[in-house]
Amino acid sequence: MRPVGEVDGIGVFLARHPNRKDDLFEVVIGPASCSECEVVATLPTTRAGKTEAIRISMAILRTLDLISSINDRPPV
């Protein structure tokens, strides 16, 4: 798994399992240690699939960042 980013101990990772029958990119989220991560999106292993996986990962990171910025005030 390749880490994409982390916010407040929550990591977002991009995984690929080329030895599986269904070679896919997976967007994975969970503790930064990835002890109990969950797959939140699967995409085909094409250039467009990888681009979309990265886009999804960045959207998740931005959402986590907005959530962590809320401390009795509007998100930044």
Side-chain angles (χ1 to χ4, degrees), residues 1-2 4-5 7 10-12 14 17 21-22 31 34 37 42 46 58 62-69 73-74 76:
M1 279 197 291
R2 183 182 129 229
V4 178
V7 175
I10 303 296
V12 179
L14 185 59
H17 304 284
K21 181 177 74 171
D22 52 345
C34 203
C37 291
T42 56
T46 61
M58 298 307 290
R62 180 62 180 141
T63 301
L64 290 171
D65 190 44
L66 287 170
I67 291 169
S68 74
S69 73
R73 60 184 173 82
V76 178

Side-chain angles (χ1 to χ4, degrees), residues 29-70:
I29 187 170
S33 65
C34 203
S35 57
E36 295 183 27
C37 291
E38 294 289 331
V39 175
V40 295
T42 56
L43 297 115
T45 53
T46 61
R47 184 175 293 176
K50 184 175 184 180
T51 299
E52 189 63 16
I54 292 170
R55 188 185 332 260
I56 291 167
S57 299
M58 298 307 290
I60 292 169
L61 286 171
R62 180 62 180 141
T63 301
L64 290 171
D65 190 44
L66 287 170
I67 291 169
S68 74
S69 73
I70 299 172

